[in-house]
Amino acid sequence: AEGYEAEGLAQPWYTPLTASWNPISQRFQFNWLGSIITNVAIYMMETLYLAPKGTIDTQKYLQEGGFALRDAGKLQIFTTAYFMVGQK
């Protein structure tokens, strides 16, 4: 094997969906504190009419989907590398 796998640098596909405590990282939103801060910030933007109505609902929906994908990846019951096309 060559590349990242051979050097031990490969990371699972769901790594961008895992929590990080680095506040500069986009992964910060996936820990409990980052999730609260993100939701409060979006709620305030909605209240001040800086974001369209329904943005907080969309954020929560997408975040829940991200958590589900991450958990499925950790359990190895879903992978983005599997694709099958069936034809009749």
Side-chain angles (χ1 to χ4, degrees):
E2 295 180 9
Y4 288 110
E5 292 85 11
E7 297 176 20
L9 299 175
Q11 294 181 347
W13 63 266
Y14 55 84
T15 299
L17 299 172
T18 58
S20 170
W21 285 100
N22 179 359
I24 297 172
S25 168
Q26 67 97 55
R27 292 172 39 204
F28 182 72
Q29 67 177 318
F30 293 114
N31 68 44
W32 66 269
L33 180 61
S35 177
I36 291 171
I37 291 171
T38 301
N39 289 337
V40 167
I42 293 174
Y43 177 77
M44 290 182 69
M45 287 191 295
E46 255 191 50
T47 303
L48 297 171
Y49 300 105
L50 297 173
K53 186 176 180 181
T55 302
I56 190 68
D57 295 331
T58 303
Q59 162 64 15
K60 288 180 180 180
Y61 181 74
L62 291 172
Q63 198 171 44
E64 186 176 329
F67 292 152
L69 284 172
R70 177 203 59 209
D71 294 343
K74 284 183 178 180
L75 294 172
Q76 297 181 345
I77 58 174
F78 176 80
T79 180
T80 58
Y82 185 74
F83 180 70
M84 181 174 60
V85 176
Q87 287 184 317
K88 187 173 181 180

